[in-house]
Amino acid sequence: MDNLCTTIGPKGLIMRHEFVRLIIQSLYSLGYRKSALTLESESSISGKSSQLELLESQILQGNWDACIGIINSMEDLVEEARSSALFLLFKQFLSECLNCGNISLALHILRNQVPALLVREKVCNLARGIFSLKEIGYRNKEEIHDLRKSCLCEMEKLLPPPILLAEGRLVYLVENAVIAQIDCCKYHNTDAGVSLYQDHCCSRDQIPTETFQILTEHKNEVWFVQFSNNGEYLASSSSDCTAIVWKVMEDGQLAFKHVLSSHHKPVSLVAWSPDDTRLLTCGNGEVLKLWDVETGTCLSTFGGHGFIVSSCAWFPDSKQLVCGSSEPGKGIYVWDCDGKEIKSWKGRRMPKVSDLAVTPDGEHLIVVSDKEIRKFNVETSTEQLILEAHSITSLSVSTNGDYFIVNLNSQEIHLWDVACKWDKPLRFVGHKQDKYVIRSCFGGLNSSFIASGSEDSQVYIWNRRDPKPIEILSGHLMTVNCVSWNPRRHRMLASASDDGTVRIWGPSKLNSHSK
């Protein structure tokens, strides 16, 4: 028999007998019983521990005294698990006694052989339930055998390694090794399978790094861009007082669809309804307008009469929207699409709102103002407060709703967890932000990346696990105000600049920017 201390692998970290035992377990689970038996014979290593094999045989034979002795001899078994295992044994034994009509033996067991108080209470409660039955049915040998096997299966859930191996242990270890390699891959941005035949490493063509289209229809600085939720449209807004809707074609090129032109002041931002049928446009220090995406017609106007809209967002049902005001005390309003007020947060304690967002589940509203981040529970109106050391200019929530990022005028981007369990954020540095509102976004598969504009005319991209940028994209001639990552085409990015253009970025291999 192999020495239990023998190790394998170049670093000597793997115990040989453990490795072989995991292979045997895996072979059995994959249905290769003959191969598993051959390996057990050749290696003299059993897929089951000797204690488990002995316990299994004694339970199936109904040798209950021996079973109790085996359970009590297990050194790695915590007392709570030991008590539960003993309970399962006495439950089965008691059930068999009662079903055979041997009530006197059942009572004798209860009085004299149940060792632990916790087990005794459980078994006595069980016995009272069984004794209350008017009829006790006799079970044949096959039924009793099946019940014993069921008892064994329940008991196996209580046994720790190495007495029992967790189901699928080898697959679990290999899967975690794959996940670790993916986590170390700074460009990973695909849901294609990862091969076990070699170490995993994606090339930079998995993310957008090159310009493949420049949109020039705006007549002045472009302040905001945002892809629709289905990735089929892009909306951009400009200081030329218009917003433009673009259609993403099959080949990845963007085509002009509508110009939305009833604002009298620059359009500072846009927001797509979750169903992508409507679009909100927010005039800078002006009103909010609701548009039909298909026809390009204005459906409603919100705000005015002293309520200056600074930011807006949708609730998941596409029937309610929320707006914040840039004036202190005006607060936050929730409206339906007809302009009816549903809910509000206002008063002296409400500072001016810089930006806001609704989590994808609709449960929380996140609001930023100056150096404060407030998370409101929409139903209860309770709030949590996070304080930053520098002024916050913008906010973005990840598509899975687990994280949000804020841009600070200290030239940092901070990532926080929506659950507010973190004591401090993850920090991302490298871009330039001092005077202007710069907006960042999540992007890529599972929101694995962060992209941001910058005052140095470039676009910065970070892997979410790395505080330093993995790519810096050049092409714009002036400040990049905003970026948006296509939520469906994970290798497509849009950026808006003061140079009056929107750039569409794709991977270095231009023909690979499809889904």
Side-chain angles (χ1 to χ4, degrees):
M1 181 177 290
D2 290 347
N3 190 314
L4 293 181
C5 295
T6 302
T7 60
I8 60 174
K11 297 183 179 179
L13 299 176
I14 302 172
M15 301 296 256
R16 179 186 178 87
H17 74 284
E18 292 185 354
F19 187 69
V20 173
R21 190 177 167 197
L22 290 179
I23 295 175
I24 293 170
Q25 181 202 47
S26 186
L27 288 172
Y28 275 121
S29 66
L30 292 171
Y32 303 132
R33 185 173 182 276
K34 291 182 180 179
S35 298
L37 289 170
T38 300
L39 182 53
E40 284 182 311
S41 175
E42 187 174 350
S43 66
S44 298
I45 297 174
S46 174
K48 296 180 179 178
S49 67
S50 57
Q51 282 182 306
L52 180 61
E53 286 186 324
L54 183 59
L55 179 63
E56 182 179 280
S57 66
Q58 298 305 314
I59 287 179
L60 295 179
Q61 293 174 38
N63 296 329
W64 305 112
D65 286 339
C67 292
I68 294 170
I70 295 168
I71 294 297
N72 285 326
S73 69
M74 291 180 176
E75 296 180 356
D76 296 321
L77 199 61
V78 298
E79 287 308 310
E80 184 177 352
R82 192 187 312 279
S83 175
S84 297
L86 290 171
F87 167 71
L88 290 174
L89 289 177
F90 285 111
K91 173 184 175 183
Q92 180 61 31
F93 186 23
L94 184 62
S95 178
E96 290 186 21
C97 289
L98 295 175
N99 280 286
C100 292
N102 198 342
I103 296 178
S104 60
L105 178 58
L107 292 173
H108 175 77
I109 294 297
L110 285 172
R111 293 185 182 125
N112 302 305
Q113 294 189 25
V114 178
L117 179 60
L118 178 60
V119 175
R120 186 179 296 118
E121 290 178 352
K122 287 183 177 179
V123 176
C124 287
N125 289 334
L126 173 69
R128 292 188 190 100
I130 296 177
F131 282 137
S132 68
L133 296 175
K134 293 183 179 179
E135 295 182 1
I136 299 175
Y138 179 82
R139 291 188 175 93
N140 59 37
K141 291 182 178 179
E142 289 76 15
E143 289 178 310
I144 291 176
H145 181 78
D146 289 342
L147 288 171
R148 289 174 179 175
K149 288 184 67 174
S150 178
C151 174
L152 178 63
C153 289
E154 287 297 310
M155 191 170 299
E156 286 179 348
K157 298 176 183 178
L158 303 170
L159 305 180
I163 299 171
L164 181 76
L165 298 181
E167 186 176 350
R169 179 62 181 170
L170 183 58
V171 172
Y172 171 82
L173 292 173
V174 173
E175 190 172 61
N176 274 276
V178 172
I179 292 172
Q181 290 200 29
I182 290 174
D183 287 344
C184 291
C185 177
K186 65 180 180 179
Y187 292 115
H188 187 79
N189 192 30
T190 175
D191 54 7
V194 175
S195 174
L196 298 180
Y197 294 148
Q198 59 184 359
D199 290 345
H200 174 74
C201 183
C202 291
S203 61
R204 67 192 293 266
D205 65 8
Q206 289 294 316
I207 66 171
T209 55
E210 293 187 7
T211 300
F212 67 85
Q213 189 176 4
I214 302 176
L215 309 178
T216 59
E217 277 74 1
H218 280 295
K219 308 304 180 186
N220 210 325
E221 299 171 351
V222 187
W223 287 0
F224 197 90
V225 284
Q226 189 177 76
F227 280 105
S228 61
N229 300 285
N230 60 17
E232 295 180 4
Y233 296 97
L234 176 74
S236 57
S237 66
S238 168
S239 62
D240 65 6
C241 305
T242 70
I244 296 178
V245 177
W246 313 83
K247 172 68 175 174
V248 180
M249 311 304 288
E250 284 297 320
D251 62 359
Q253 295 289 309
L254 272 70
F256 175 88
K257 183 174 177 64
H258 296 303
V259 59
L260 313 178
S261 56
S262 68
H263 281 282
H264 299 293
K265 292 185 178 182
V267 182
S268 57
L269 59 91
V270 301
W272 290 92
S273 64
D275 62 10
D276 294 322
T277 62
R278 286 164 293 183
L279 184 74
L280 290 170
T281 57
C282 185
N284 187 35
E286 197 191 16
V287 294
L288 189 72
K289 291 183 177 288
L290 177 66
W291 303 82
D292 180 273
V293 172
E294 185 60 33
T295 63
T297 57
C298 184
L299 303 174
S300 300
T301 299
F302 304 89
H305 306 294
F307 186 85
I308 304 302
V309 180
S310 61
S311 54
C312 61
W314 289 87
F315 282 91
D317 60 3
S318 295
K319 296 179 180 179
Q320 296 181 28
L321 52 103
V322 58
C323 305
S325 175
S326 58
E327 295 186 32
K330 298 292 185 180
I332 303 162
Y333 287 81
V334 178
W335 292 315
D336 65 16
C337 290
D338 295 322
K340 179 182 177 181
E341 182 181 324
I342 307 297
K343 193 179 185 70
S344 65
W345 292 265
K346 55 188 176 181
R348 291 182 180 179
R349 60 181 296 274
M350 287 300 300
K352 65 178 183 178
V353 177
S354 303
D355 204 356
L356 54 76
V358 178
T359 55
D361 58 12
E363 292 185 7
H364 296 99
L365 171 65
I366 302 174
V367 180
V368 297
S369 53
D370 193 22
K371 301 176 183 179
E372 298 178 341
I373 304 169
R374 283 184 165 86
K375 188 184 79 169
F376 293 91
N377 183 296
V378 176
E379 287 296 321
T380 65
S381 294
T382 56
E383 68 176 88
Q384 291 175 279
L385 178 65
I386 299 173
L387 296 177
E388 288 280 11
H390 298 87
S391 294
I392 305 165
T393 64
S394 64
L395 163 73
S396 180
V397 178
S398 63
T399 53
N400 60 13
D402 291 339
Y403 309 103
F404 66 88
I405 47 178
V406 291
N407 277 57
L408 309 176
N409 63 6
S410 61
Q411 305 189 104
E412 288 188 350
I413 296 171
H414 288 183
L415 183 148
W416 292 91
D417 67 315
V418 170
C420 293
K421 295 180 179 179
W422 297 357
D423 294 328
K424 57 184 180 180
L426 300 180
R427 302 169 185 266
F428 302 89
V429 297
H431 69 300
K432 308 301 179 187
Q433 180 177 0
D434 181 31
K435 297 183 294 183
Y436 304 122
V437 173
I438 301 295
R439 298 182 184 273
S440 58
C441 70
F442 290 92
L445 184 69
N446 300 322
S447 298
S448 297
F449 301 93
I450 292 172
S452 179
S454 177
E455 291 179 13
D456 63 3
S457 309
Q458 301 183 103
V459 175
Y460 287 74
I461 297 177
W462 296 262
N463 185 295
R464 210 176 64 204
R465 294 177 293 273
D466 191 342
K468 296 182 180 180
I470 59 173
E471 293 290 341
I472 302 174
L473 313 183
S474 300
H476 283 293
L477 303 178
M478 299 175 70
T479 294
V480 180
N481 300 302
C482 182
V483 292
S484 179
W485 207 302
N486 192 307
R488 293 293 182 264
R489 298 175 181 245
H490 296 315
R491 290 178 281 179
M492 177 182 284
L493 179 72
S495 58
S497 171
D498 281 351
D499 64 14
T501 69
V502 175
R503 282 182 176 254
I504 308 300
W505 305 83
S508 56
K509 297 177 182 178
L510 293 182
N511 61 358
S512 64
H513 60 252
S514 59
K515 293 181 182 178

